[in-house]
Amino acid sequence: MKHIAIDFHFVRDHVSKGLLRVSHVSTTDQLADALTKPLSRQLFTLLQSKIGVSDGSTILQGRIRVKE
């Protein structure tokens, strides 16, 4: 719990100094939900695309050797 208290005080100090602005984020834009909560497939796919998580297919082709 100590690390949470330290983080809280750090954020609070930065907000009070005007270095950080805290704003509301709607439920549909909570990107971490894709990794922490059970979601419908549609919402999961939307959030997955927003954070750039791959669907598992690879885009790497490997090294292609050309015979001379």
Side-chain angles (χ1 to χ4, degrees):
M1 293 300 293
K2 184 177 180 179
H3 65 282
I4 294 173
I6 292 170
D7 291 347
F8 171 78
H9 292 294
F10 175 83
V11 171
R12 186 180 65 182
D13 290 344
H14 278 69
V15 170
S16 68
K17 292 176 184 176
L19 301 172
L20 183 67
R21 184 174 58 100
V22 179
S23 61
H24 174 76
V25 177
S26 71
T27 302
T28 57
D29 293 326
Q30 289 286 354
L31 301 180
D33 285 356
L35 305 172
T36 60
K37 295 181 179 178
L39 303 170
S40 67
R41 181 175 298 276
Q42 181 181 12
L43 183 54
F44 176 78
T45 304
L46 174 68
L47 295 176
Q48 179 185 22
S49 68
K50 285 184 177 183
I51 61 175
V53 174
S54 173
D55 64 359
S57 62
T58 181
I59 60 169
L60 300 176
Q61 301 264 333
R63 184 174 178 176
I64 302 172
R65 294 185 181 164
V66 179
K67 293 183 180 183
E68 296 178 15

